Short mmCIF file of all heavy atoms in Angstrom, two decimals:
data_model
loop_
_atom_site.label_atom_id
_atom_site.label_comp_id
_atom_site.label_asym_id
_atom_site.label_seq_id
_atom_site.Cartn_x
_atom_site.Cartn_y
_atom_site.Cartn_z
N MET Z 1 -32.55 54.85 -27.78
CA MET Z 1 -31.17 54.47 -28.08
C MET Z 1 -30.55 55.44 -29.05
O MET Z 1 -29.36 55.68 -29.00
CB MET Z 1 -31.17 53.06 -28.64
CG MET Z 1 -29.83 52.60 -29.09
SD MET Z 1 -29.12 51.47 -27.93
CE MET Z 1 -28.41 50.31 -29.03
N GLU Z 2 -31.37 56.00 -29.92
CA GLU Z 2 -30.84 56.92 -30.93
C GLU Z 2 -30.26 58.17 -30.28
O GLU Z 2 -29.20 58.66 -30.69
CB GLU Z 2 -31.94 57.29 -31.93
CG GLU Z 2 -31.45 58.00 -33.14
CD GLU Z 2 -30.57 57.14 -34.04
OE1 GLU Z 2 -30.80 55.93 -34.13
OE2 GLU Z 2 -29.63 57.68 -34.63
N SER Z 3 -30.93 58.73 -29.26
CA SER Z 3 -30.42 59.95 -28.64
C SER Z 3 -29.15 59.67 -27.84
O SER Z 3 -28.26 60.50 -27.77
CB SER Z 3 -31.49 60.60 -27.78
OG SER Z 3 -31.49 60.06 -26.48
N ILE Z 4 -29.04 58.46 -27.25
CA ILE Z 4 -27.83 58.10 -26.54
C ILE Z 4 -26.66 58.00 -27.53
O ILE Z 4 -25.56 58.48 -27.25
CB ILE Z 4 -28.01 56.75 -25.80
CG1 ILE Z 4 -29.00 56.93 -24.67
CG2 ILE Z 4 -26.68 56.24 -25.26
CD1 ILE Z 4 -29.40 55.63 -24.01
N GLY Z 5 -26.91 57.42 -28.70
CA GLY Z 5 -25.89 57.33 -29.73
C GLY Z 5 -25.43 58.70 -30.18
O GLY Z 5 -24.23 58.92 -30.39
N LYS Z 6 -26.35 59.63 -30.32
CA LYS Z 6 -25.97 60.99 -30.74
C LYS Z 6 -25.14 61.69 -29.66
O LYS Z 6 -24.20 62.41 -29.97
CB LYS Z 6 -27.22 61.80 -31.07
CG LYS Z 6 -27.84 61.41 -32.38
CD LYS Z 6 -28.96 62.34 -32.75
CE LYS Z 6 -29.52 61.88 -34.09
NZ LYS Z 6 -30.41 62.87 -34.68
N LYS Z 7 -25.50 61.47 -28.40
CA LYS Z 7 -24.73 62.08 -27.31
C LYS Z 7 -23.32 61.50 -27.25
O LYS Z 7 -22.35 62.23 -27.05
CB LYS Z 7 -25.44 61.87 -25.99
CG LYS Z 7 -26.69 62.70 -25.85
CD LYS Z 7 -27.39 62.46 -24.54
CE LYS Z 7 -28.67 63.27 -24.47
NZ LYS Z 7 -29.42 63.00 -23.25
N ILE Z 8 -23.22 60.19 -27.43
CA ILE Z 8 -21.90 59.55 -27.43
C ILE Z 8 -21.07 60.05 -28.61
O ILE Z 8 -19.88 60.33 -28.48
CB ILE Z 8 -22.04 58.03 -27.44
CG1 ILE Z 8 -22.62 57.55 -26.12
CG2 ILE Z 8 -20.70 57.35 -27.71
CD1 ILE Z 8 -22.98 56.09 -26.08
N TRP Z 9 -21.70 60.18 -29.78
CA TRP Z 9 -21.02 60.68 -30.97
C TRP Z 9 -20.53 62.11 -30.75
O TRP Z 9 -19.38 62.46 -31.10
CB TRP Z 9 -21.94 60.58 -32.18
CG TRP Z 9 -21.32 61.09 -33.42
CD1 TRP Z 9 -21.64 62.23 -34.09
CD2 TRP Z 9 -20.25 60.50 -34.17
NE1 TRP Z 9 -20.85 62.38 -35.19
CE2 TRP Z 9 -19.97 61.33 -35.27
CE3 TRP Z 9 -19.48 59.35 -34.00
CZ2 TRP Z 9 -18.99 61.04 -36.20
CZ3 TRP Z 9 -18.50 59.07 -34.93
CH2 TRP Z 9 -18.26 59.91 -36.00
N THR Z 10 -21.37 62.96 -30.16
CA THR Z 10 -20.97 64.36 -29.89
C THR Z 10 -19.81 64.39 -28.91
O THR Z 10 -18.84 65.14 -29.12
CB THR Z 10 -22.17 65.13 -29.33
OG1 THR Z 10 -23.26 65.06 -30.25
CG2 THR Z 10 -21.82 66.58 -29.09
N PHE Z 11 -19.87 63.59 -27.86
CA PHE Z 11 -18.77 63.51 -26.89
C PHE Z 11 -17.49 63.08 -27.59
O PHE Z 11 -16.41 63.62 -27.36
CB PHE Z 11 -19.13 62.53 -25.77
CG PHE Z 11 -18.01 62.25 -24.84
CD1 PHE Z 11 -17.62 63.18 -23.89
CD2 PHE Z 11 -17.33 61.04 -24.90
CE1 PHE Z 11 -16.58 62.92 -23.03
CE2 PHE Z 11 -16.29 60.77 -24.04
CZ PHE Z 11 -15.91 61.71 -23.09
N PHE Z 12 -17.60 62.06 -28.45
CA PHE Z 12 -16.44 61.54 -29.17
C PHE Z 12 -15.82 62.62 -30.06
O PHE Z 12 -14.60 62.79 -30.07
CB PHE Z 12 -16.85 60.34 -30.03
CG PHE Z 12 -15.76 59.85 -30.94
CD1 PHE Z 12 -14.73 59.07 -30.44
CD2 PHE Z 12 -15.77 60.16 -32.28
CE1 PHE Z 12 -13.73 58.62 -31.26
CE2 PHE Z 12 -14.77 59.71 -33.12
CZ PHE Z 12 -13.74 58.93 -32.61
N ILE Z 13 -16.62 63.34 -30.81
CA ILE Z 13 -16.10 64.40 -31.71
C ILE Z 13 -15.39 65.48 -30.92
O ILE Z 13 -14.29 65.92 -31.28
CB ILE Z 13 -17.24 64.97 -32.57
CG1 ILE Z 13 -17.76 63.93 -33.55
CG2 ILE Z 13 -16.80 66.24 -33.31
CD1 ILE Z 13 -16.73 63.46 -34.56
N ILE Z 14 -16.00 65.92 -29.82
CA ILE Z 14 -15.37 66.97 -29.01
C ILE Z 14 -14.05 66.43 -28.41
O ILE Z 14 -13.03 67.12 -28.44
CB ILE Z 14 -16.31 67.43 -27.90
CG1 ILE Z 14 -17.48 68.21 -28.54
CG2 ILE Z 14 -15.60 68.31 -26.87
CD1 ILE Z 14 -18.61 68.51 -27.60
N TRP Z 15 -14.08 65.20 -27.89
CA TRP Z 15 -12.88 64.57 -27.31
C TRP Z 15 -11.79 64.45 -28.37
O TRP Z 15 -10.61 64.69 -28.12
CB TRP Z 15 -13.26 63.21 -26.75
CG TRP Z 15 -12.24 62.63 -25.85
CD1 TRP Z 15 -11.19 61.81 -26.20
CD2 TRP Z 15 -12.13 62.79 -24.44
NE1 TRP Z 15 -10.47 61.46 -25.10
CE2 TRP Z 15 -11.02 62.04 -24.00
CE3 TRP Z 15 -12.88 63.50 -23.50
CZ2 TRP Z 15 -10.66 62.00 -22.67
CZ3 TRP Z 15 -12.50 63.44 -22.19
CH2 TRP Z 15 -11.40 62.70 -21.78
N TYR Z 16 -12.18 64.05 -29.58
CA TYR Z 16 -11.22 63.85 -30.67
C TYR Z 16 -10.57 65.18 -31.07
O TYR Z 16 -9.35 65.25 -31.22
CB TYR Z 16 -11.92 63.21 -31.86
CG TYR Z 16 -11.01 63.00 -33.03
CD1 TYR Z 16 -10.12 61.92 -33.04
CD2 TYR Z 16 -11.01 63.85 -34.12
CE1 TYR Z 16 -9.27 61.72 -34.11
CE2 TYR Z 16 -10.17 63.66 -35.20
CZ TYR Z 16 -9.31 62.58 -35.18
OH TYR Z 16 -8.45 62.39 -36.24
N ILE Z 17 -11.38 66.20 -31.24
CA ILE Z 17 -10.85 67.51 -31.66
C ILE Z 17 -9.87 68.06 -30.61
O ILE Z 17 -8.78 68.53 -30.94
CB ILE Z 17 -11.98 68.50 -31.94
CG1 ILE Z 17 -12.75 68.07 -33.21
CG2 ILE Z 17 -11.47 69.93 -32.09
CD1 ILE Z 17 -14.02 68.83 -33.46
N CYS Z 18 -10.27 67.98 -29.34
CA CYS Z 18 -9.37 68.45 -28.27
C CYS Z 18 -8.09 67.63 -28.25
O CYS Z 18 -7.00 68.19 -28.09
CB CYS Z 18 -10.06 68.35 -26.90
SG CYS Z 18 -11.40 69.52 -26.69
N GLY Z 19 -8.22 66.32 -28.43
CA GLY Z 19 -7.04 65.45 -28.43
C GLY Z 19 -6.10 65.74 -29.57
O GLY Z 19 -4.87 65.75 -29.40
N VAL Z 20 -6.65 65.97 -30.75
CA VAL Z 20 -5.81 66.27 -31.92
C VAL Z 20 -5.03 67.56 -31.70
O VAL Z 20 -3.84 67.64 -31.97
CB VAL Z 20 -6.67 66.36 -33.20
CG1 VAL Z 20 -5.90 67.01 -34.33
CG2 VAL Z 20 -7.13 64.97 -33.61
N ILE Z 21 -5.72 68.57 -31.15
CA ILE Z 21 -5.04 69.84 -30.89
C ILE Z 21 -3.93 69.67 -29.85
O ILE Z 21 -2.80 70.15 -30.05
CB ILE Z 21 -6.06 70.91 -30.46
CG1 ILE Z 21 -6.98 71.27 -31.62
CG2 ILE Z 21 -5.36 72.16 -29.92
CD1 ILE Z 21 -8.16 72.13 -31.26
N LEU Z 22 -4.24 68.97 -28.76
CA LEU Z 22 -3.23 68.77 -27.71
C LEU Z 22 -2.03 67.97 -28.20
O LEU Z 22 -0.88 68.31 -27.88
CB LEU Z 22 -3.87 68.08 -26.50
CG LEU Z 22 -4.86 68.92 -25.69
CD1 LEU Z 22 -5.52 68.06 -24.63
CD2 LEU Z 22 -4.16 70.10 -25.05
N VAL Z 23 -2.29 66.93 -28.97
CA VAL Z 23 -1.19 66.10 -29.44
C VAL Z 23 -0.40 66.79 -30.56
O VAL Z 23 0.82 66.73 -30.59
CB VAL Z 23 -1.73 64.72 -29.91
CG1 VAL Z 23 -0.66 63.93 -30.62
CG2 VAL Z 23 -2.26 63.95 -28.72
N ALA Z 24 -1.11 67.47 -31.44
CA ALA Z 24 -0.43 68.12 -32.59
C ALA Z 24 0.54 69.20 -32.13
O ALA Z 24 1.61 69.37 -32.71
CB ALA Z 24 -1.48 68.72 -33.53
N PHE Z 25 0.16 69.93 -31.09
CA PHE Z 25 1.03 71.00 -30.61
C PHE Z 25 1.84 70.58 -29.38
O PHE Z 25 2.44 71.43 -28.71
CB PHE Z 25 0.19 72.27 -30.30
CG PHE Z 25 -0.43 72.86 -31.52
CD1 PHE Z 25 -1.79 72.78 -31.73
CD2 PHE Z 25 0.36 73.49 -32.47
CE1 PHE Z 25 -2.37 73.33 -32.85
CE2 PHE Z 25 -0.21 74.05 -33.60
CZ PHE Z 25 -1.57 73.97 -33.79
N ASP Z 26 1.87 69.29 -29.11
CA ASP Z 26 2.64 68.73 -28.01
C ASP Z 26 2.31 69.42 -26.69
O ASP Z 26 3.18 69.77 -25.89
CB ASP Z 26 4.14 68.84 -28.30
CG ASP Z 26 4.96 67.87 -27.47
OD1 ASP Z 26 4.38 66.84 -27.03
OD2 ASP Z 26 6.15 68.14 -27.26
N LEU Z 27 1.01 69.58 -26.46
CA LEU Z 27 0.54 70.24 -25.24
C LEU Z 27 -0.03 69.25 -24.23
O LEU Z 27 -0.55 69.65 -23.19
CB LEU Z 27 -0.55 71.26 -25.58
CG LEU Z 27 -0.14 72.39 -26.53
CD1 LEU Z 27 -1.34 73.21 -26.94
CD2 LEU Z 27 0.89 73.28 -25.86
N LEU Z 28 0.06 67.97 -24.53
CA LEU Z 28 -0.53 66.95 -23.66
C LEU Z 28 0.36 66.72 -22.44
O LEU Z 28 1.48 66.23 -22.56
CB LEU Z 28 -0.70 65.64 -24.42
CG LEU Z 28 -1.48 64.55 -23.74
CD1 LEU Z 28 -2.95 64.97 -23.59
CD2 LEU Z 28 -1.40 63.28 -24.53
N PRO Z 29 -0.13 67.10 -21.26
CA PRO Z 29 0.69 66.88 -20.06
C PRO Z 29 0.72 65.39 -19.70
O PRO Z 29 -0.20 64.64 -20.05
CB PRO Z 29 -0.04 67.69 -18.98
CG PRO Z 29 -1.44 67.84 -19.48
CD PRO Z 29 -1.37 67.78 -20.98
N PRO Z 30 1.76 64.97 -19.00
CA PRO Z 30 1.86 63.55 -18.64
C PRO Z 30 0.69 63.03 -17.82
O PRO Z 30 0.30 61.87 -17.94
CB PRO Z 30 3.15 63.48 -17.83
CG PRO Z 30 3.93 64.68 -18.21
CD PRO Z 30 2.94 65.72 -18.58
N TRP Z 31 0.10 63.85 -16.97
CA TRP Z 31 -1.01 63.39 -16.13
C TRP Z 31 -2.29 63.18 -16.95
O TRP Z 31 -3.26 62.64 -16.43
CB TRP Z 31 -1.27 64.38 -14.99
CG TRP Z 31 -1.59 65.78 -15.44
CD1 TRP Z 31 -0.71 66.79 -15.61
CD2 TRP Z 31 -2.87 66.30 -15.76
NE1 TRP Z 31 -1.36 67.93 -16.04
CE2 TRP Z 31 -2.69 67.65 -16.14
CE3 TRP Z 31 -4.15 65.78 -15.78
CZ2 TRP Z 31 -3.75 68.48 -16.52
CZ3 TRP Z 31 -5.21 66.60 -16.17
CH2 TRP Z 31 -4.99 67.93 -16.52
N LEU Z 32 -2.29 63.56 -18.22
CA LEU Z 32 -3.48 63.41 -19.05
C LEU Z 32 -3.33 62.29 -20.08
O LEU Z 32 -4.14 62.15 -21.00
CB LEU Z 32 -3.76 64.74 -19.78
CG LEU Z 32 -5.16 65.00 -20.31
CD1 LEU Z 32 -6.19 64.88 -19.21
CD2 LEU Z 32 -5.24 66.34 -20.98
N GLU Z 33 -2.36 61.44 -19.89
CA GLU Z 33 -2.14 60.35 -20.84
C GLU Z 33 -3.25 59.29 -20.80
O GLU Z 33 -3.41 58.52 -21.72
CB GLU Z 33 -0.78 59.70 -20.62
CG GLU Z 33 0.35 60.63 -21.03
CD GLU Z 33 1.72 60.03 -20.78
OE1 GLU Z 33 1.79 58.88 -20.30
OE2 GLU Z 33 2.71 60.73 -21.06
N TRP Z 34 -4.02 59.25 -19.73
CA TRP Z 34 -5.15 58.32 -19.63
C TRP Z 34 -6.22 58.64 -20.65
O TRP Z 34 -7.09 57.80 -20.95
CB TRP Z 34 -5.75 58.36 -18.23
CG TRP Z 34 -6.21 59.73 -17.82
CD1 TRP Z 34 -5.49 60.65 -17.15
CD2 TRP Z 34 -7.48 60.33 -18.12
NE1 TRP Z 34 -6.21 61.81 -16.98
CE2 TRP Z 34 -7.44 61.64 -17.59
CE3 TRP Z 34 -8.61 59.93 -18.77
CZ2 TRP Z 34 -8.51 62.51 -17.68
CZ3 TRP Z 34 -9.68 60.80 -18.88
CH2 TRP Z 34 -9.62 62.07 -18.33
N ALA Z 35 -6.20 59.84 -21.21
CA ALA Z 35 -7.23 60.26 -22.16
C ALA Z 35 -7.24 59.37 -23.42
O ALA Z 35 -8.28 59.23 -24.05
CB ALA Z 35 -7.01 61.72 -22.54
N ASN Z 36 -6.10 58.78 -23.74
CA ASN Z 36 -6.03 57.90 -24.90
C ASN Z 36 -6.94 56.68 -24.71
O ASN Z 36 -7.62 56.25 -25.65
CB ASN Z 36 -4.60 57.46 -25.15
CG ASN Z 36 -4.46 56.69 -26.42
OD1 ASN Z 36 -5.11 56.98 -27.41
ND2 ASN Z 36 -3.61 55.69 -26.41
N SER Z 37 -6.96 56.14 -23.51
CA SER Z 37 -7.83 54.97 -23.28
C SER Z 37 -9.31 55.34 -23.35
O SER Z 37 -10.11 54.55 -23.85
CB SER Z 37 -7.50 54.33 -21.93
OG SER Z 37 -7.73 55.24 -20.89
N VAL Z 38 -9.68 56.53 -22.91
CA VAL Z 38 -11.06 56.99 -23.06
C VAL Z 38 -11.42 57.06 -24.53
O VAL Z 38 -12.50 56.63 -24.94
CB VAL Z 38 -11.28 58.35 -22.36
CG1 VAL Z 38 -12.67 58.88 -22.63
CG2 VAL Z 38 -11.06 58.22 -20.86
N PHE Z 39 -10.52 57.60 -25.34
CA PHE Z 39 -10.76 57.67 -26.78
C PHE Z 39 -10.99 56.29 -27.37
O PHE Z 39 -11.92 56.08 -28.14
CB PHE Z 39 -9.55 58.36 -27.46
CG PHE Z 39 -9.60 58.30 -28.95
CD1 PHE Z 39 -10.44 59.13 -29.65
CD2 PHE Z 39 -8.79 57.43 -29.65
CE1 PHE Z 39 -10.48 59.08 -31.04
CE2 PHE Z 39 -8.83 57.37 -31.03
CZ PHE Z 39 -9.69 58.20 -31.72
N LEU Z 40 -10.17 55.31 -26.97
CA LEU Z 40 -10.31 53.97 -27.51
C LEU Z 40 -11.61 53.31 -27.04
O LEU Z 40 -12.27 52.63 -27.82
CB LEU Z 40 -9.10 53.12 -27.10
CG LEU Z 40 -7.78 53.53 -27.74
CD1 LEU Z 40 -6.64 52.71 -27.16
CD2 LEU Z 40 -7.85 53.37 -29.24
N TYR Z 41 -11.98 53.51 -25.78
CA TYR Z 41 -13.22 52.93 -25.28
C TYR Z 41 -14.43 53.52 -25.98
O TYR Z 41 -15.36 52.80 -26.36
CB TYR Z 41 -13.36 53.14 -23.77
CG TYR Z 41 -12.39 52.36 -22.94
CD1 TYR Z 41 -11.76 52.92 -21.85
CD2 TYR Z 41 -12.09 51.03 -23.24
CE1 TYR Z 41 -10.88 52.19 -21.08
CE2 TYR Z 41 -11.20 50.29 -22.49
CZ TYR Z 41 -10.59 50.88 -21.42
OH TYR Z 41 -9.70 50.17 -20.67
N VAL Z 42 -14.44 54.83 -26.16
CA VAL Z 42 -15.58 55.47 -26.82
C VAL Z 42 -15.62 55.08 -28.30
O VAL Z 42 -16.71 54.87 -28.85
CB VAL Z 42 -15.52 57.02 -26.64
CG1 VAL Z 42 -16.62 57.71 -27.43
CG2 VAL Z 42 -15.63 57.39 -25.18
N SER Z 43 -14.47 54.93 -28.93
CA SER Z 43 -14.43 54.46 -30.32
C SER Z 43 -15.04 53.07 -30.43
O SER Z 43 -15.84 52.80 -31.33
CB SER Z 43 -13.00 54.41 -30.84
OG SER Z 43 -12.41 55.66 -30.82
N GLY Z 44 -14.69 52.19 -29.51
CA GLY Z 44 -15.25 50.85 -29.50
C GLY Z 44 -16.75 50.86 -29.26
O GLY Z 44 -17.50 50.10 -29.89
N LEU Z 45 -17.21 51.72 -28.38
CA LEU Z 45 -18.64 51.85 -28.11
C LEU Z 45 -19.39 52.32 -29.34
O LEU Z 45 -20.48 51.81 -29.65
CB LEU Z 45 -18.87 52.79 -26.93
CG LEU Z 45 -20.28 52.94 -26.43
CD1 LEU Z 45 -20.85 51.60 -25.99
CD2 LEU Z 45 -20.33 53.94 -25.29
N ILE Z 46 -18.82 53.26 -30.07
CA ILE Z 46 -19.44 53.74 -31.29
C ILE Z 46 -19.52 52.62 -32.32
O ILE Z 46 -20.54 52.46 -33.01
CB ILE Z 46 -18.69 54.96 -31.84
CG1 ILE Z 46 -18.96 56.17 -30.95
CG2 ILE Z 46 -19.08 55.27 -33.28
CD1 ILE Z 46 -18.16 57.39 -31.28
N VAL Z 47 -18.48 51.82 -32.43
CA VAL Z 47 -18.49 50.69 -33.38
C VAL Z 47 -19.59 49.69 -32.99
O VAL Z 47 -20.32 49.19 -33.86
CB VAL Z 47 -17.12 50.01 -33.43
CG1 VAL Z 47 -17.19 48.69 -34.17
CG2 VAL Z 47 -16.10 50.93 -34.09
N ILE Z 48 -19.71 49.40 -31.69
CA ILE Z 48 -20.74 48.46 -31.24
C ILE Z 48 -22.13 49.00 -31.55
O ILE Z 48 -23.00 48.27 -32.05
CB ILE Z 48 -20.58 48.18 -29.74
CG1 ILE Z 48 -19.30 47.35 -29.51
CG2 ILE Z 48 -21.80 47.46 -29.17
CD1 ILE Z 48 -18.92 47.23 -28.04
N LEU Z 49 -22.36 50.29 -31.27
CA LEU Z 49 -23.67 50.89 -31.56
C LEU Z 49 -23.97 50.87 -33.06
O LEU Z 49 -25.10 50.59 -33.48
CB LEU Z 49 -23.75 52.32 -31.02
CG LEU Z 49 -23.78 52.45 -29.51
CD1 LEU Z 49 -23.70 53.92 -29.10
CD2 LEU Z 49 -25.02 51.80 -28.94
N TYR Z 50 -22.97 51.16 -33.87
CA TYR Z 50 -23.14 51.12 -35.33
C TYR Z 50 -23.47 49.71 -35.79
O TYR Z 50 -24.36 49.51 -36.62
CB TYR Z 50 -21.88 51.63 -36.02
CG TYR Z 50 -21.95 51.54 -37.51
CD1 TYR Z 50 -22.67 52.47 -38.23
CD2 TYR Z 50 -21.28 50.53 -38.21
CE1 TYR Z 50 -22.76 52.38 -39.61
CE2 TYR Z 50 -21.38 50.44 -39.58
CZ TYR Z 50 -22.10 51.37 -40.28
OH TYR Z 50 -22.19 51.27 -41.65
N LEU Z 51 -22.76 48.73 -35.26
CA LEU Z 51 -23.00 47.34 -35.64
C LEU Z 51 -24.41 46.89 -35.25
O LEU Z 51 -25.11 46.28 -36.04
CB LEU Z 51 -21.96 46.43 -34.98
CG LEU Z 51 -22.07 44.95 -35.27
CD1 LEU Z 51 -21.84 44.69 -36.75
CD2 LEU Z 51 -21.11 44.17 -34.43
N LEU Z 52 -24.82 47.22 -34.02
CA LEU Z 52 -26.17 46.85 -33.59
C LEU Z 52 -27.24 47.53 -34.44
O LEU Z 52 -28.25 46.91 -34.81
CB LEU Z 52 -26.36 47.24 -32.12
CG LEU Z 52 -25.58 46.41 -31.11
CD1 LEU Z 52 -25.79 46.97 -29.71
CD2 LEU Z 52 -26.00 44.96 -31.17
N ASN Z 53 -27.02 48.78 -34.78
CA ASN Z 53 -27.95 49.52 -35.64
C ASN Z 53 -28.00 48.90 -37.03
O ASN Z 53 -29.07 48.72 -37.60
CB ASN Z 53 -27.56 50.99 -35.71
CG ASN Z 53 -28.63 51.84 -36.32
OD1 ASN Z 53 -29.78 51.46 -36.35
ND2 ASN Z 53 -28.23 53.01 -36.78
N SER Z 54 -26.86 48.53 -37.57
CA SER Z 54 -26.80 47.92 -38.91
C SER Z 54 -27.48 46.55 -38.92
O SER Z 54 -28.22 46.22 -39.83
CB SER Z 54 -25.37 47.78 -39.39
OG SER Z 54 -24.78 49.02 -39.54
N LEU Z 55 -27.21 45.75 -37.87
CA LEU Z 55 -27.81 44.43 -37.80
C LEU Z 55 -29.33 44.52 -37.63
O LEU Z 55 -30.09 43.72 -38.17
CB LEU Z 55 -27.20 43.63 -36.66
CG LEU Z 55 -25.76 43.19 -36.86
CD1 LEU Z 55 -25.24 42.51 -35.61
CD2 LEU Z 55 -25.63 42.28 -38.05
N GLU Z 56 -29.76 45.51 -36.87
CA GLU Z 56 -31.20 45.71 -36.67
C GLU Z 56 -31.88 46.04 -37.98
O GLU Z 56 -32.91 45.49 -38.32
CB GLU Z 56 -31.41 46.82 -35.64
CG GLU Z 56 -32.85 47.09 -35.30
CD GLU Z 56 -32.96 48.21 -34.28
OE1 GLU Z 56 -32.50 48.01 -33.14
OE2 GLU Z 56 -33.50 49.27 -34.63
N LYS Z 57 -31.28 46.94 -38.75
CA LYS Z 57 -31.85 47.30 -40.05
C LYS Z 57 -31.79 46.11 -41.01
O LYS Z 57 -32.71 45.88 -41.77
CB LYS Z 57 -31.10 48.50 -40.66
CG LYS Z 57 -31.41 49.79 -39.99
CD LYS Z 57 -30.66 50.94 -40.61
CE LYS Z 57 -30.95 52.23 -39.89
NZ LYS Z 57 -30.21 53.35 -40.43
N ASN Z 58 -30.70 45.35 -40.95
CA ASN Z 58 -30.54 44.17 -41.80
C ASN Z 58 -31.62 43.14 -41.49
O ASN Z 58 -32.18 42.54 -42.39
CB ASN Z 58 -29.15 43.57 -41.60
CG ASN Z 58 -28.44 43.39 -42.91
OD1 ASN Z 58 -28.96 43.72 -43.95
ND2 ASN Z 58 -27.23 42.87 -42.81
N SER Z 59 -31.86 42.91 -40.21
CA SER Z 59 -32.85 41.91 -39.82
C SER Z 59 -34.24 42.36 -40.21
O SER Z 59 -35.10 41.55 -40.58
CB SER Z 59 -32.77 41.61 -38.33
OG SER Z 59 -33.17 42.71 -37.57
N MET Z 60 -34.51 43.67 -40.15
CA MET Z 60 -35.82 44.16 -40.60
C MET Z 60 -35.99 43.98 -42.10
O MET Z 60 -37.08 43.63 -42.56
CB MET Z 60 -35.98 45.64 -40.20
CG MET Z 60 -36.26 45.84 -38.73
SD MET Z 60 -36.82 47.48 -38.30
CE MET Z 60 -35.36 48.44 -38.61
N LEU Z 61 -34.92 44.20 -42.85
CA LEU Z 61 -35.00 44.02 -44.30
C LEU Z 61 -35.21 42.56 -44.65
O LEU Z 61 -36.03 42.23 -45.50
CB LEU Z 61 -33.72 44.53 -44.97
CG LEU Z 61 -33.56 46.04 -45.07
CD1 LEU Z 61 -32.20 46.38 -45.68
CD2 LEU Z 61 -34.65 46.63 -45.94
N SER Z 62 -34.50 41.67 -43.99
CA SER Z 62 -34.63 40.25 -44.32
C SER Z 62 -35.99 39.71 -43.88
O SER Z 62 -36.56 38.86 -44.55
CB SER Z 62 -33.51 39.44 -43.69
OG SER Z 62 -33.59 39.51 -42.28
N SER Z 63 -36.54 40.22 -42.79
CA SER Z 63 -37.85 39.75 -42.35
C SER Z 63 -38.95 40.26 -43.28
O SER Z 63 -39.96 39.57 -43.52
CB SER Z 63 -38.14 40.14 -40.92
OG SER Z 63 -38.25 41.53 -40.81
N SER Z 64 -38.77 41.45 -43.86
CA SER Z 64 -39.78 41.97 -44.78
C SER Z 64 -39.73 41.21 -46.10
O SER Z 64 -40.75 41.00 -46.75
CB SER Z 64 -39.61 43.47 -44.98
OG SER Z 64 -38.41 43.74 -45.68
N HIS Z 65 -38.54 40.76 -46.52
CA HIS Z 65 -38.42 39.99 -47.76
C HIS Z 65 -38.96 38.58 -47.59
O HIS Z 65 -39.52 38.01 -48.49
CB HIS Z 65 -36.98 39.92 -48.23
CG HIS Z 65 -36.49 41.22 -48.81
ND1 HIS Z 65 -37.01 41.74 -49.96
CD2 HIS Z 65 -35.53 42.08 -48.39
CE1 HIS Z 65 -36.40 42.88 -50.24
NE2 HIS Z 65 -35.49 43.12 -49.28
N SER Z 66 -38.81 37.99 -46.42
CA SER Z 66 -39.26 36.63 -46.20
C SER Z 66 -40.77 36.56 -46.10
O SER Z 66 -41.37 35.52 -46.33
CB SER Z 66 -38.60 36.02 -44.97
OG SER Z 66 -39.03 36.73 -43.83
N SER Z 67 -41.42 37.66 -45.74
CA SER Z 67 -42.88 37.65 -45.64
C SER Z 67 -43.53 37.81 -47.00
O SER Z 67 -44.73 37.63 -47.12
CB SER Z 67 -43.34 38.74 -44.68
OG SER Z 67 -43.04 40.01 -45.20
N LEU Z 68 -42.78 38.16 -48.03
CA LEU Z 68 -43.38 38.33 -49.36
C LEU Z 68 -43.63 37.03 -50.00
O LEU Z 68 -43.41 36.06 -50.18
CB LEU Z 68 -42.45 39.18 -50.24
CG LEU Z 68 -42.33 40.62 -49.82
CD1 LEU Z 68 -41.33 41.33 -50.75
CD2 LEU Z 68 -43.65 41.33 -49.89
#
């Protein structure tokens, strides 16, 4: 799961940088407006992966404390 998260993160960073350049210089053609939804979906996926990773670490910490 960790390598999938890194690949998604790398895709997101590249997508974000290209999007910022296209939007900042008003180079975004009308046929590429769907790219905004891809950005939002990938952002949501990153949040879900982060949440699952955080909860997993949290549950490991709480289980180690309860066994003491």
Side-chain angles (χ1 to χ4, degrees):
M1 175 104 139
E2 191 67 34
S3 85
I4 292 172
K6 286 187 179 192
K7 288 178 183 177
I8 292 172
W9 179 251
T10 303
F11 173 75
F12 173 78
I13 292 297
I14 291 169
W15 195 270
Y16 179 78
I17 291 171
C18 291
V20 165
I21 291 170
L22 289 173
V23 170
F25 294 109
D26 200 24
L27 300 172
L28 190 66
W31 58 268
L32 200 57
E33 290 178 2
W34 58 267
N36 186 37
S37 61
V38 173
F39 171 75
L40 292 174
Y41 292 138
V42 175
S43 299
L45 185 59
I46 287 173
V47 169
I48 290 170
L49 290 174
Y50 176 77
L51 180 64
L52 290 175
N53 192 21
S54 296
L55 290 175
E56 182 180 295
K57 287 181 182 178
N58 233 1
S59 68
M60 284 193 292
L61 285 176
S62 64
S63 66
S64 68
H65 286 295
S66 64
S67 65
L68 292 177

